[in-house]
Amino acid sequence: MKINYKPFELNLRHPFTIAKFSRTSTPIMLMEISYEGFTGFGEASMVPYMGESIETANAFMAKVDLSWLKPPFDFDELIAYLDSLATGNPNIKAAIDIALHDLQGKIEQRACYRYFGTDPSKMPPTSYTLGIDTPEVLIRKIKEGENCHIIKVKLGRDNDKELINTIRSVSDKPLYVDANQGWIDRQQGLDMVLWLHEQGVVLIEQPMAKDDPDSNAWITERSPVAIVGDESVQRFADVEKAKGVYHGINMKLMKSAGMHEGYRIIMKAKELGLKTMIGCMSETSCGTLAAAALAPLCDWADLDGPFLTSNNPYKDPEFKDGKWILSDIPGLGLIKP
Ligand code: MG
């Protein structure tokens, strides 16, 4: 098993502002794991608010030894091993997990989605995310995202209504809203939820602070719109805690340490009667295809990485009628340009 990894700065098409941060690029660790002539590709997207960096990824990788691992890979064993090296670092763990899924698919000549019993015809449409911007920029971005049938918008500042009104002046597409923990007062939050409901909003992510289940549950109980936990649900152990607090959860491979645990999180959420969303960080086609392999298991998808970035090192996956298309190419189906 030969491991190669290198840092890559993934540039955003536009500066991206959410309730608490703004940025113009994202550090990525590109991962390649080779075995007997086959190479699997993975990636870690290290958005600053998750706390990982090229430095922490390098330090983690210095501890990783996969010489014991032989195909077919036992992913339970792999994740237990990676967690034994350090408790955090889900981004770089995801890079390893994704590369090994791609590798396994290539060795066995099987598309990755088949390992999860996914039905490609059930692919949910993906939303196109707008950051917090001036009305002029928002309108321009809405035009850029016209291939997507759903708009997701980041709220959590004092001009939230103005933002929604701007979108509604040019588009009647369904809206997903992400408050990114930006709402402070639960009654004001609920008033906003009710107003957003009238504006055609389908779901709202993380209205209140991730460590305030009572306030989030209070809003969920009263909300006619689906309330989805994102920041508060990271690894498998967090899913159970989401029951009774949110209507659904947003699973992301960069939080779940990859596809194996991501799949377990989705299935556990369904078992608990929670709705499921699959989201992403700033990701290349690699992370996007890994998430797309699981997306048909979910109610909602927000996999817009390739649309929001300008130097994706891989070919954009096939996209049609607002949805990613899963191919039968062995592994993830990632194509180098
Ligand atoms: Mg979110």
Side-chain angles (χ1 to χ4, degrees):
M1 204 74 61
K2 193 168 174 295
I3 313 179
N4 279 307
Y5 49 96
K6 60 166 193 250
F8 177 79
E9 198 67 22
L10 185 61
N11 296 325
L12 299 177
R13 217 161 267 190
H14 304 282
F16 195 73
T17 303
I18 63 173
K20 298 183 176 181
F21 303 92
S22 188
R23 65 180 198 275
T24 56
S25 68
T26 308
I28 301 275
M29 190 67 95
L30 297 174
M31 180 78 53
E32 292 185 22
I33 304 181
S34 303
Y35 182 82
E36 293 187 347
F38 297 98
T39 300
F41 295 87
E43 75 172 299
S45 170
M46 291 168 291
V47 291
Y49 55 85
M50 280 197 75
E52 286 182 64
S53 62
I54 296 299
E55 292 69 34
T56 65
N58 278 324
F60 183 81
M61 289 309 297
K63 293 189 257 185
V64 174
D65 169 14
L66 295 181
S67 58
W68 55 274
L69 191 68
K70 297 279 176 292
F73 307 127
D74 180 335
F75 282 96
D76 280 322
E77 202 179 2
L78 172 81
I79 299 300
Y81 166 70
L82 296 178
D83 284 341
S84 77
L85 301 177
T87 50
N89 306 79
N91 304 165
I92 193 66
K93 288 173 183 172
I96 297 169
D97 168 283
I98 294 169
L100 287 170
H101 276 92
D102 189 33
L103 178 59
Q104 177 121 309
K106 284 169 174 163
I107 292 170
E108 297 181 348
Q109 292 294 294
R110 217 166 164 226
C112 277
Y113 75 84
R114 294 188 179 273
Y115 291 106
F116 303 100
T118 311
D119 177 354
S121 74
K122 299 219 164 79
M123 181 67 77
T126 210
S127 54
Y128 181 85
T129 305
L130 305 171
I132 294 169
D133 261 307
T134 61
E136 298 73 41
V137 177
L138 272 180
I139 290 169
R140 206 172 71 224
K141 285 184 178 177
I142 291 168
K143 288 211 177 81
E144 287 177 11
E146 63 191 356
N147 285 346
C148 293
H149 298 177
I150 301 163
I151 294 172
K152 173 168 151 174
V153 62
K154 300 282 192 178
L155 298 184
R157 290 213 178 155
D158 45 17
N159 62 343
D160 286 353
K161 286 192 177 176
E162 186 193 328
L163 249 152
I164 298 288
N165 287 332
T166 301
I167 295 168
R168 278 294 172 245
S169 72
V170 292
S171 172
D172 56 6
K173 288 178 183 175
L175 292 181
Y176 297 167
V177 157
D178 193 346
N180 287 113
Q181 317 179 70
W183 298 348
I184 310 298
D185 178 84
R186 56 166 80 169
Q187 184 59 56
Q188 277 175 16
L190 181 61
D191 292 346
M192 193 63 181
V193 168
L194 297 175
W195 184 80
L196 290 170
H197 179 54
E198 289 167 14
Q199 314 309 316
V201 168
V202 177
L203 66 84
I204 301 170
E205 283 179 54
Q206 203 65 57
M208 315 273 299
K210 62 178 178 182
D211 51 7
D212 184 0
D214 292 347
S215 295
N216 284 299
W218 187 88
I219 289 186
T220 297
E221 261 170 48
R222 291 159 179 81
S223 173
V225 182
I227 303 293
V228 176
D230 180 2
E231 284 86 342
S232 59
V233 183
Q234 312 260 333
R235 298 287 303 264
F236 184 78
D238 300 322
V239 185
E240 199 118 39
K241 292 181 252 170
K243 192 179 161 64
V245 179
Y246 305 101
H247 295 114
I249 58 146
N250 185 351
M251 196 288 290
K252 294 174 184 165
L253 298 177
M254 293 302 137
K255 299 189 296 181
S256 69
M259 300 170 78
H260 179 69
E261 190 160 313
Y263 172 78
R264 291 182 60 226
I265 288 172
I266 292 166
M267 299 319 274
K268 182 69 182 176
K270 285 172 177 285
E271 187 191 312
L272 293 169
L274 292 163
K275 293 278 206 179
T276 50
M277 177 172 190
I278 186 161
C280 63
M281 305 298 179
S282 300
E283 290 168 26
T284 74
S285 298
C286 182
T288 304
L289 282 165
L294 296 171
L297 301 169
C298 299
D299 298 295
W300 306 298
D302 174 33
L303 304 175
D304 52 5
F307 301 133
L308 303 181
T309 54
S310 59
N311 60 340
N312 185 352
Y314 310 106
K315 232 183 115 180
D316 277 354
E318 197 185 340
F319 191 78
K320 211 178 153 212
D321 297 330
K323 301 171 184 180
W324 295 113
I325 307 291
L326 290 172
S327 79
D328 267 316
I329 299 170
L332 295 171
L334 187 64
I335 300 169
K336 286 207 164 187

